[in-house]
Amino acid sequence: MICSGLLLLATTACYYDVEEELYPTIDCTTEDMSFAADILPIIQNNCYACHDAASNFGGIDLEGHQKLKVLIENNSLLGVIKHQAGFSPMPKNKAKLLDCEIEKIEAWIAQGALDN
Ligand code: HEC
């Protein structure tokens, strides 16, 4: 009995500590991703401040499907947003994209990274 009580306490503590549990991403839809409706707004809101055609920091211009496609083919888009080793973590000096945003981008890529 004591044991299960402690376990419950521990579980409750964890529950409130983990941000993802407080804001569950269960309703993160990743089916039939559309570049225009789902992906472009994420890139615009989080990346264009530094990577539109005018302010292409680090020589990276993310405006338009075609330019993103190049970064998908060399794996750097997922590398930077997932903070993988060997890539500069993006958005630079800002919080990582939400798990759901990353999942949408991954799903869109898996679905062929269409210009849809
Ligand atoms: C506050 C400005 C800023 C924001 C916002 C930003 N970047 Fe960057 N990014 C930079 C700078 C500066 C560099 C070049 C220097 C470096 O790598 O840190 C860069 C480099 C990159 C590179 C090449 C680095 C590599 O390791 O290959 C990619 C790809 C990239 N950014 C993608 C993104 C994406 C995708 C977003 C949005 C999710 C984003 N950036 C948001 C400033 C920014």
Side-chain angles (χ1 to χ4, degrees):
M1 282 316 272
I2 292 168
C3 262
S4 61
L6 281 176
L7 187 65
L8 185 67
L9 262 179
T11 316
T12 312
C14 288
Y15 183 84
Y16 288 110
D17 282 348
V18 180
E19 192 184 337
E20 272 153 12
E21 304 263 325
L22 279 175
Y23 305 103
T25 51
I26 311 162
D27 57 352
C28 181
T29 309
T30 57
E31 278 160 35
D32 300 327
M33 287 290 98
S34 148
F35 175 64
D38 302 303
I39 306 306
L40 189 56
I42 302 174
I43 304 293
Q44 275 174 330
N45 293 337
N46 296 286
C47 317
Y48 272 26
C50 301
H51 296 297
D52 65 0
S55 43
N56 48 356
F57 288 19
I60 306 282
D61 168 7
L62 297 178
E63 248 187 72
H65 175 267
Q66 206 47 48
K67 300 202 176 117
L68 270 183
K69 200 83 199 258
V70 174
L71 295 177
I72 290 164
E73 275 154 17
N74 68 19
N75 290 322
S76 56
L77 184 67
L78 284 182
V80 298
I81 63 172
K82 293 177 83 177
H83 295 188
Q84 287 172 350
F87 296 95
S88 286
M90 295 288 150
K92 197 173 181 69
N93 301 328
K94 294 192 165 78
K96 201 175 179 183
L97 296 183
L98 301 176
D99 285 351
C100 182
E101 293 172 321
I102 295 175
E103 282 168 29
K104 282 177 190 283
I105 293 171
E106 278 190 303
W108 170 68
I109 293 172
Q111 290 157 14
L114 302 176
D115 188 3
N116 56 354

